[in-house]
Amino acid sequence: MELPDIYYAKPDYVETASGNKVSRKTVLCGSQNIVINGKSVVRDGVMIRGDLASVRVGRQCILDTNVIIRPPFKRFSKGVSFFPLHIGDNVFIGEDTVVNAAVIGSYVYIGKNCVIGRRCVLKDCCRIEDGTVLGQETTVPSFAVYGGNPGVYTSEQPDCTQDLMMEYTRNYYQHFLPGPATPKKSIGLSP
C-alpha cells in the first residue's frame, strides 16, 4: 500500500539529528523529560506534557495533528502522583486524540478523535477504531480491535499486523516531505 505524499512547509518543521520531524507549532512542556527516539513525525498542534512525568516515544511513530499526550496520574489521600508514559515503536496516533495511558506497546494504531483513559495499557499490535473512548485502567490485549463509546472488543487483528504497521509508519515518514517552494504573491496594483 503506497501512501500519497504529504507536504509541509519546511520553515514550519524542525528535523532533529535522529531524523524526527517536529512541527514548530507543537507544544512540548518539560522538554527535558521528553524522549523521541528517531524518524518520528510530530504534526501541528500536538501537546506532549513532559512537565508532569517523563514521556518516551519509540522509533517511527506518527503523532497526527492536535494530539494530546499526557502521562497518567493516580489520586492518593495525600495528593496526586504522575507516572511515566512509554509509547513503543511504529505507533500511529490519529488527529484530535487524547492519550492518558500508562503504556502503549509497539505496532499500535489509534484512530482519530479517540480518548485513551487514565492508566490504560495497550499491548502490542492492537487497534483502536476512530471515535473510541477507553475507560480508565482498560487493558487492550495484543491483536485486539476495540471500538465504540465505551470502547469494547470488536474483532481480531491479523497475524501480520507487526509487518503492516512497520510498513505503514515507514511509508508515512518517507512520504512526509518538505513542500515545493511557492513564490510569494506580491500585493500591488496590476497595470
Side-chain angles (χ1 to χ4, degrees):
M1 162 176 80
E2 197 66 27
L3 295 174
D5 290 340
I6 301 169
Y7 293 105
Y8 64 90
K10 192 162 179 73
D12 293 346
Y13 278 79
V14 174
E15 188 161 352
T16 66
S18 58
N20 295 318
K21 296 176 181 177
V22 181
S23 170
R24 291 184 190 275
K25 296 176 185 167
T26 295
V27 178
L28 302 175
C29 300
S31 58
Q32 70 276 10
N33 295 327
I34 300 170
V35 176
I36 302 175
N37 283 332
K39 294 197 172 182
S40 293
V41 175
V42 181
R43 304 277 309 260
D44 296 344
V46 171
M47 177 183 282
I48 302 177
R49 296 294 308 267
D51 57 334
L52 304 173
S54 68
V55 176
R56 297 183 60 83
V57 179
R59 294 183 58 76
Q60 290 192 327
C61 291
I62 312 299
L63 305 181
D64 212 345
T65 55
N66 301 321
V67 167
I68 297 174
I69 305 290
R70 242 183 352 220
F73 66 92
K74 186 168 176 83
R75 286 191 180 99
F76 294 102
S77 59
K78 295 186 180 188
V80 174
S81 184
F82 286 89
F83 299 98
L85 167 59
H86 183 265
I87 298 174
D89 298 335
N90 302 97
V91 172
F92 178 88
I93 301 177
E95 63 185 69
D96 299 315
T97 291
V98 177
V99 175
N100 203 7
V103 177
I104 297 176
S106 297
Y107 320 110
V108 173
Y109 181 92
I110 300 173
K112 60 184 176 181
N113 300 315
C114 294
V115 176
I116 309 300
R118 219 169 60 214
R119 295 189 315 276
C120 287
V121 175
L122 280 63
K123 303 283 187 166
D124 294 347
C125 302
C126 67
R127 178 183 180 94
I128 308 299
E129 297 290 343
D130 292 350
T132 299
V133 177
L134 289 181
Q136 66 182 15
E137 298 184 13
T138 302
T139 299
V140 179
S142 295
F143 297 99
V145 177
Y146 270 54
N149 182 2
V152 293
Y153 175 85
T154 58
S155 62
E156 195 78 15
Q157 290 271 75
D159 291 338
C160 62
T161 299
Q162 179 176 341
D163 297 330
L164 293 173
M165 283 305 297
M166 285 173 65
E167 181 183 351
Y168 180 76
T169 55
R170 187 180 326 112
N171 279 340
Y172 192 103
Y173 180 83
Q174 289 171 347
H175 290 276
F176 193 72
L177 305 168
T182 54
K184 291 186 179 180
K185 295 180 182 178
S186 61
I187 300 174
L189 301 174
S190 53

